[in-house]
Amino acid sequence: MDRKEFLRTGCITCIGMALGASLLQSCAAGGKYVKGTLNGRGLLVNLSDFETGKTGMRPYLIVRHDAIEFPLCVYHIEGDTFTALLMRCTHQGAELQAAGDQLTCQAHGSEFDRYGTATQGPATLPLRSFPVSVANGQVFIDLRKQS
């Protein structure tokens, strides 16, 4: 094998591995990013954003809006039961990353479950959570209250 063929084969392999890893990670996460609609009391998200073609419901959505500094992770628990968590670590305020049923702080390794409870430190306080209701095909996250 000459140098040119070696480099071409090596580059194709590296690119393929990187793309494959990112695809697997996005499939495993099961979430989706959406922009919520802000009304006077909170955020609205279409219930259909949780729906998938094959398996029914996504386990969570990441909801963003320009008026809110950190995104919200809205977990679908079952039926019309949801939890909405501010994705801000209670240790030092870093933005959290969602992966399945947990939120992880990339800064210091704190982890939280889908109810906002700290399951691994250094964070000990729960995440800020908000009441969620479902009506008329929409999920409403009440930002006025903390649940």
Side-chain angles (χ1 to χ4, degrees):
M1 175 182 306
D2 66 4
R3 181 173 187 251
K4 192 175 188 180
E5 185 179 348
F6 173 77
L7 289 174
R8 185 183 58 170
T9 304
C11 288
I12 290 171
T13 302
C14 287
I15 291 170
M17 289 174 61
L19 287 174
S22 67
L23 285 173
L24 284 174
Q25 183 177 7
S26 65
C27 290
K32 175 181 175 182
Y33 286 90
V34 297
K35 184 169 182 172
T37 303
L38 191 64
N39 73 11
R41 304 171 306 153
L43 282 174
L44 288 169
V45 178
N46 290 324
L47 185 59
S48 62
D49 287 332
F50 279 94
E51 297 172 359
T52 62
K54 299 175 188 174
T55 59
M57 298 288 277
R58 294 180 196 286
Y60 64 89
L61 291 179
I62 306 298
V63 181
R64 295 186 180 276
H65 192 279
D66 295 339
I68 301 172
E69 183 179 2
F70 290 91
L72 299 173
C73 187
V74 182
Y75 281 101
H76 176 241
I77 305 302
E78 65 180 349
D80 283 348
T81 304
F82 294 83
T83 58
L85 305 169
L86 186 66
M87 295 178 67
R88 181 175 190 243
C89 184
T90 57
H91 175 236
Q92 289 188 345
E95 187 171 321
L96 301 172
Q97 301 296 313
D101 280 349
Q102 71 179 18
L103 297 170
T104 305
C105 180
Q106 301 299 310
H108 300 106
S110 294
E111 293 180 359
F112 303 86
D113 66 16
R114 63 186 182 158
Y115 299 100
T117 304
T119 58
Q120 178 174 312
T124 57
L125 298 174
L127 296 176
R128 186 168 179 200
S129 62
F130 302 93
V132 180
S133 58
V134 179
N136 302 319
Q138 292 190 311
V139 176
F140 175 68
I141 305 155
D142 192 339
L143 299 177
R144 299 172 301 165
K145 303 174 184 175
Q146 187 171 342
S147 55

